[in-house]
Amino acid sequence: MIEQYVRDLRDLDGTQVAAVGGKGAQLGGLSRIEGIRVPGGFCVTTDAFRRIMAEAPSIDDRLDQLSRLNPDDREAIRTLSAQIRRTIEGIAIPGDLAAAITRALARFGEHAAYAVRSSATAEDLPTASFAGQQDTYLNVVGPTAILRHISRCWASLFTERAVTYRRRNGIDHRAVHMAVVVQQMVFPHAAGILFTADPVTGDRKAATVDAGFGLGESLVSGLVNPDVFTVRHGEVVAKAIGAKQRALHALPDGGTQEVAVDAQRQEQPALTDAQVVRLVQLGRRIEAHFGRPQDIEWCLADDGFQIVQSRPITTLYPIPEAGDQENHVYVSVGHGQMMTDPMKPLGLSMWQLTAMVPMHEAGGRLFVDVTRRLASPASRAGLLDVLGRGDPLVRDALETVLDRDDFVPSLPDAGPGGPPAGGAPAPVETDPALVTELIERSQASIAALERDIRTKTGPALFDFLLEAFAEHKRVLGDPLSLQAIMAGMEATWWLNDKLWEWLGEKNAADTLTLSAPDNVTSEMGLALLDVADVIRPHPEVVAFLQGVEDEGFLDELAKLAGGTEARDAIEAYLDRYGMRCVGEIDITRPRWRERPTTLVPVILDNVRNFEPGAAERRFEQGRQRAQRKEQDVLSRLRALPDGDRKADEAKRMIDRVRTFIGYREYPKYGIVSRYFLYKQALMKEAERLVQADVLPDKEDIFYLTLQELHDVVRSKEVDERLIEQRKEAFRSYHALTPPRVLTSDGEALTGAYRRDDVPAGALVGLPVSAGTVEGRARVILDMAEADLEAGDILVTPFTDPSWSPLFVGIAGLVTEVGGLMTHGAVIAREYGLPAVVGVEQATRLIRDGQRIRVHGTDGYIEILS
């Protein structure tokens, strides 16, 4: 019979986390790997913990209180968690449970030394390590002391740091239980940590070893600076020997003591190179067993290495599956699309099915494999130029990879039948009628989709969608559309390059693009000012909107004085722009039409901060500024040698910019319009599945790919476990920071600006909209929580077109993600806002409310207070 309360470590494996916790399960798995030595011992199961908790009913009330506390209320958490710990430690261990533990000790030596270690059920898991959240006690001697320390481990489930960690990760305190590992003590002369992948860069081919003298706790607790070794392909390629002044040693009667290391030994390596290589070989064996990179605690005693813990490295960014052993270089799609949050599976699969190039998923984000284009010299130059103009950090990251001669193979240039080298499409005439024609074509295509999709249900809908995706791609790939987009971008680049060369003026095109015609995204921001003009004269409507929480508020408006006009204005706005939302490339995100309350704070800001007629005035002021700038530039050019030619060329390019740059935003509007129609059809299918009791919630379809959803609609059967796994994975992806560039070795590259022309302490980014502005920083992570005053500077991770209604009320823009031609940059220029994008960690380094100065011409931010 299996002992209910005590299990030998060798009998455990990864299937028993619920009984023995993450650490116990991992140690059991480790002890089964051939050639890996794990100190012997046993695990006191979670059944024992549950029995102890049942002895004190008062804990239940305190857990209720704990779950209601704000995670930031540290004082309340400290007080309540200390009460729970004291209660648990005060409970006497029942006789039969104490006897089971004592019997287990007798097998290994009742008065030997042991390590007593917490093993929570939410610990050392693939998606959350919980490292250091609960307690470990070393060199515990004798049954009485061991029982006392087991109680302390149970209580440590409620340390302040463990409680806060669970609250921040959305984990219910009652859902986590505590097992305790009791393991024979190892008395090492060296110990430390092995990462089988570089924990900083993510490189899976590099292993790092931290090593110190004595017990490994001295490293974990930060007591010493360890030796650090890097191993690649079976040899030590780098090492830094730390001055190890202190070590932790076990005392004969139990407990540990910090001791000074002899001066002669302090700078001697704790391990030889041969020992480091041997340790990494053991680590690779452990990694292969668990199927992912590991963070391993090891110790070196007289007779070799022993492994005392191994957990997944949860901070590594996953690698896209390639299906081969070749080297690959991936570029982030999210950084180009201004949406670096994770996407749900339906969103990922829809974007993949409608994209113009193959895309690979990793960590809930999409990446494009650019290896082939980097390998061919001709296409490489074009790719680096296009990506570099958009985001210099992507270019720098790719050049970092290319500098490693052996990673990207050099292939001959593709012949006539090979992939295109990335050249620009043929130029078009500067004719505003072309833009009008393109917009009409897109509108006609969307109207046909709206008409045809209405009648499609069941499996027929999915057949229809495949045809719709073909039309979607045809419109996106329309040569005339691509020519118009490139014409605007190339004219912008030409003006910036030439006017810098001829007049010494940086980013001159920024002013020349103000209030350009046909920009559907900037029109969207101005149109919301017009909505505010309708609402402003009606105080009852304004007061009502200040308290709105329910999505059905539009129906209530008609009951108020002026409410019908207000409702009609908002409805008309939603008819034109209701398909938009934050993160709109993910079809699963709630659209404004589905969640109109999102717009209410922005409307109220516009009512408060603007006078009537602001939209028309703003647009006209921008148009006049652009006109004056044009006249100024042309007159200065004519005064130069060969000035008439230069002025004529510049005039041609200014006309091209103003004709085509607004259209740059239209294809995205077309994509999102189509997406909303796809989504409405799919949600009707989801409602039918809920009515047929196939799904409990219609939004469960978001965790299926489109093909999987098709299968569910056809078969009327769903794998509920798969949906739960996907939900858990999606939650875990939020903790990951997607890199701009990722290699198949797992190396995550962010790139650098490599500039020395900015003041000390300034935050560096990419200048995308000229001018300098000083004001209050408003760090906003959610558009729905924006509370802006005139003159504020918006600081946010990224902006997509849905943020443009906020742009009319701010004085400047700072984002962590973005490039010269991404939507935030285009709209900032349209509205004349100084803007710097691609500022790494801006939302962490700039605090809400600080005064900052944005240098939109030179690309940096100064923090003034």
Side-chain angles (χ1 to χ4, degrees):
M1 172 187 145
I2 295 177
E3 167 67 62
Q4 183 182 1
Y5 296 123
V6 177
R7 307 234 183 117
D8 193 292
L9 283 183
R10 289 169 303 183
D11 297 334
L12 307 181
D13 60 32
T15 65
Q16 298 174 57
V17 171
V20 298
K23 188 178 292 155
Q26 285 283 108
L27 285 167
L30 278 169
S31 63
R32 292 161 176 254
I33 305 171
E34 191 177 343
I36 302 298
R37 295 178 57 204
V38 177
F42 58 90
C43 190
V44 182
T45 68
T46 54
D47 279 347
F49 170 77
R50 274 189 283 266
R51 184 165 166 193
I52 292 297
M53 293 289 277
E55 298 278 325
S58 65
I59 290 178
D60 245 16
D61 295 336
R62 289 182 178 145
L63 288 181
D64 285 338
Q65 292 173 48
L66 206 55
S67 64
R68 289 194 293 268
L69 290 179
N70 185 321
D72 296 321
D73 189 349
R74 297 185 60 180
E75 189 54 46
I77 288 174
R78 185 179 299 127
T79 303
L80 198 51
S81 57
Q83 290 172 0
I84 294 171
R85 288 198 306 279
R86 279 196 302 273
T87 302
I88 292 170
E89 287 184 40
I91 296 169
I93 297 178
D96 60 330
L97 175 52
I101 294 167
T102 307
R103 278 198 303 277
L105 284 171
R107 291 204 300 277
F108 296 98
E110 212 167 90
H111 294 283
Y114 291 87
V116 181
R117 313 171 69 192
S118 305
S119 178
T121 51
E123 182 178 6
D124 295 351
L125 304 177
T127 55
S129 76
F130 287 74
Q133 299 307 315
Q134 285 91 35
D135 290 347
T136 284
Y137 301 96
L138 300 177
N139 200 31
V140 183
V141 179
T144 304
I146 284 167
L147 290 171
R148 186 169 67 250
H149 284 86
I150 287 171
S151 287
R152 286 184 180 173
C153 282
W154 288 329
S156 77
L157 191 62
F158 298 99
T159 60
E160 181 190 346
R161 63 182 182 270
V163 166
T164 304
Y165 189 95
R166 286 196 296 273
R167 289 285 283 126
R168 291 197 189 286
N169 283 276
I171 295 168
D172 181 357
H173 300 302
R174 284 190 173 80
V176 184
H177 301 108
M178 182 69 83
V180 182
V181 172
V182 180
Q183 235 177 333
Q184 288 175 305
M185 189 68 192
V186 178
F187 301 99
H189 39 261
I193 300 162
L194 157 64
F195 295 98
T196 65
D198 187 314
V200 177
T201 69
D203 187 349
R204 304 325 197 248
K205 297 280 174 69
T208 63
V209 175
D210 291 6
F213 295 123
L215 293 165
E217 275 313 277
S218 59
L219 269 67
V220 175
S221 62
L223 184 64
V224 298
N225 291 322
D227 302 337
V228 182
F229 302 85
T230 302
V231 176
R232 182 184 281 277
H233 303 309
E235 60 180 298
V236 176
V237 294
K239 60 180 161 183
I241 306 305
K244 301 172 289 297
Q245 297 171 337
R246 319 289 296 167
L248 204 63
H249 286 291
L251 296 170
D253 296 326
T256 59
Q257 183 179 32
E258 190 184 316
V259 297
V261 175
D262 292 345
Q264 301 93 327
R265 285 187 70 215
Q266 283 179 12
E267 298 198 20
Q268 285 180 4
L271 297 177
T272 66
D273 284 9
Q275 286 172 324
V276 170
V277 170
R278 169 74 186 129
L279 176 60
V280 170
Q281 287 170 344
L282 295 174
R284 292 287 179 223
R285 196 176 289 182
I286 293 167
E287 178 184 69
H289 176 83
F290 289 118
R292 56 189 301 158
Q294 298 287 303
D295 162 359
I296 297 165
E297 291 179 29
W298 56 269
C299 32
L300 178 66
D302 297 328
D303 53 352
F305 287 107
Q306 298 207 44
I307 306 300
V308 293
Q309 190 161 351
S310 183
R311 61 169 75 91
I313 309 176
T314 57
T315 54
L316 296 178
Y317 201 85
I319 306 169
E321 288 182 19
D324 60 34
Q325 298 303 307
E326 304 296 317
N327 288 349
H328 294 270
V329 182
Y330 302 97
V331 172
S332 163
V333 172
H335 285 81
Q337 290 292 338
M338 302 296 281
M339 213 294 272
T340 54
D341 289 348
M343 294 166 69
K344 297 188 177 93
L346 186 63
L348 291 165
S349 72
M350 291 292 279
W351 195 259
Q352 285 170 309
L353 287 164
T354 52
M356 301 302 285
V357 293
M359 293 184 176
H360 307 266
E361 185 273 332
R365 282 86 171 182
L366 292 170
F367 295 84
V368 173
D369 187 344
V370 296
T371 320
R372 176 83 199 186
R373 293 181 69 184
L374 284 177
S376 163
S379 59
R380 178 189 309 148
L383 180 73
L384 291 174
D385 184 52
V386 170
L387 292 177
R389 282 186 182 275
D391 185 343
L393 293 178
V394 171
R395 179 177 185 137
D396 185 78
L398 289 173
E399 286 175 338
T400 302
V401 177
L402 289 167
D403 285 344
R404 298 173 192 149
D405 296 333
D406 58 340
F407 194 82
V408 177
S410 200
L411 300 174
D413 288 335
V428 290
E429 293 299 313
T430 305
D431 181 1
L434 285 175
V435 173
T436 306
E437 181 191 338
L438 284 167
I439 290 173
E440 286 172 354
R441 280 192 206 173
S442 177
Q443 288 174 338
S445 178
I446 291 165
L449 172 64
E450 187 170 11
R451 182 188 67 235
D452 296 343
I453 203 169
R454 277 188 201 139
T455 59
K456 305 297 187 290
T457 60
L461 169 65
F462 293 85
D463 295 336
F464 172 78
L465 282 175
L466 295 181
E467 295 170 24
F469 296 164
E471 168 67 1
H472 181 123
K473 289 186 186 181
R474 188 195 64 74
V475 173
L476 264 188
D478 181 343
L480 187 62
S481 177
L482 298 176
Q483 287 167 320
I485 292 168
M486 288 308 298
M489 289 165 65
E490 285 172 347
T492 304
W493 298 334
W494 188 96
L495 284 167
N496 280 337
D497 292 346
K498 290 297 184 183
L499 297 182
W500 169 246
E501 179 189 331
W502 293 338
L503 299 176
E505 188 169 339
K506 283 185 182 176
N507 300 336
D510 293 358
T511 308
L512 294 166
T513 58
L514 287 169
S515 298
D518 298 312
N519 187 319
V520 69
T521 307
S522 60
E523 288 166 4
M524 177 169 72
L526 297 174
L528 207 58
L529 288 176
D530 291 336
V531 173
D533 284 355
V534 175
I535 289 169
R536 194 180 291 108
H538 305 293
E540 204 179 332
V541 172
V542 173
F544 170 77
L545 289 177
Q546 284 166 342
V548 156
E549 289 180 2
D550 186 84
E551 297 302 342
F553 74 94
L554 288 169
D555 296 332
E556 298 296 311
L557 271 176
K559 301 171 186 172
L560 308 174
T564 302
E565 297 96 305
R567 184 195 62 197
D568 291 349
I570 295 171
E571 284 284 3
Y573 186 87
L574 290 173
D575 286 344
R576 180 141 170 76
Y577 303 111
M579 77 295 287
R580 309 221 81 148
C581 66
V582 173
E584 60 194 11
I585 70 169
D586 182 352
I587 199 171
T588 71
R589 291 286 190 107
R591 312 281 136 179
W592 291 343
R593 172 53 84 184
E594 297 169 311
R595 197 172 288 174
T597 51
T598 309
L599 292 172
V600 170
V602 193
I603 294 171
L604 290 170
D605 282 349
N606 288 349
V607 167
R608 186 175 69 246
N609 295 334
F610 291 92
E611 295 297 319
E616 195 175 339
R617 274 197 309 280
R618 286 283 296 261
F619 188 81
E620 184 55 27
Q621 286 164 0
R623 197 183 63 76
Q624 289 179 12
R625 272 186 66 197
Q627 207 166 25
R628 287 195 298 272
K629 183 69 176 177
E630 177 181 331
Q631 290 163 355
D632 169 60
V633 163
L634 295 179
S635 65
R636 286 158 61 201
L637 286 174
R638 287 195 182 97
L640 299 175
D642 197 19
D644 286 344
R645 180 189 62 81
K646 289 172 178 169
D648 288 346
E649 285 187 28
K651 171 61 175 162
R652 274 201 307 276
M653 287 299 175
I654 291 168
D655 288 347
R656 276 178 91 67
V657 164
R658 294 200 65 78
T659 298
F660 292 118
I661 202 66
Y663 179 72
R664 162 76 180 79
E665 291 293 296
Y666 204 87
K668 182 75 171 283
Y669 177 77
I671 291 171
V672 177
S673 299
R674 289 173 182 283
Y675 261 41
F676 192 37
L677 296 171
Y678 303 153
K679 182 179 187 180
Q680 287 172 310
L682 292 172
M683 293 312 290
K684 286 176 185 165
E685 290 303 315
E687 284 163 12
R688 290 186 192 99
L689 291 171
V690 170
Q691 286 163 5
D693 291 330
V694 177
L695 287 175
D697 185 329
K698 64 183 180 182
E699 292 194 358
D700 283 351
I701 70 166
F702 296 163
Y703 297 93
L704 300 169
T705 66
L706 187 69
Q707 182 57 56
E708 289 167 345
L709 177 54
H710 185 183
D711 294 341
V712 170
V713 167
R714 203 175 54 241
S715 68
K716 298 292 187 287
E717 291 178 4
V718 69
D719 183 346
E720 290 180 20
R721 197 179 67 241
L722 174 69
I723 288 175
E724 286 309 311
Q725 287 169 349
R726 296 266 177 84
K727 287 179 179 178
E728 180 57 42
F730 178 71
R731 279 192 288 271
S732 75
Y733 294 151
H734 283 279
L736 299 172
T737 302
R740 282 176 167 81
V741 171
L742 182 65
T743 72
S744 48
D745 282 354
E747 193 173 3
L749 296 121
T750 299
Y753 288 106
R754 308 191 192 281
R755 288 172 55 187
D756 52 14
D757 60 341
V758 296
L763 307 180
V764 183
L766 178 66
V768 295
S769 186
T772 301
V773 67
E774 190 177 307
R776 178 179 67 156
R778 294 313 314 266
V779 179
I780 295 173
L781 305 181
D782 180 350
M783 178 178 154
E785 292 170 12
D787 180 16
L788 295 163
E789 301 288 345
D792 283 349
I793 296 167
L794 174 62
V795 181
T796 191
F798 54 79
T799 64
D800 57 15
S802 70
W803 286 73
S804 66
L806 291 185
F807 283 24
V808 297
I810 58 175
L813 174 69
V814 178
T815 68
E816 296 177 339
V817 175
L820 199 59
M821 283 297 166
T822 46
H823 302 277
V826 172
I827 304 308
R829 291 193 290 272
E830 280 269 328
Y831 288 164
L833 302 174
V836 181
V837 302
V839 181
E840 282 292 293
Q841 298 193 336
T843 57
R844 294 176 205 169
L845 298 172
I846 299 171
R847 290 198 310 278
D848 187 53
Q850 280 185 313
R851 278 198 81 71
I852 62 173
R853 188 181 295 131
V854 177
H855 294 263
T857 307
D858 295 310
Y860 64 89
I861 294 103
E862 292 177 282
I863 298 177
L864 304 176
S865 67

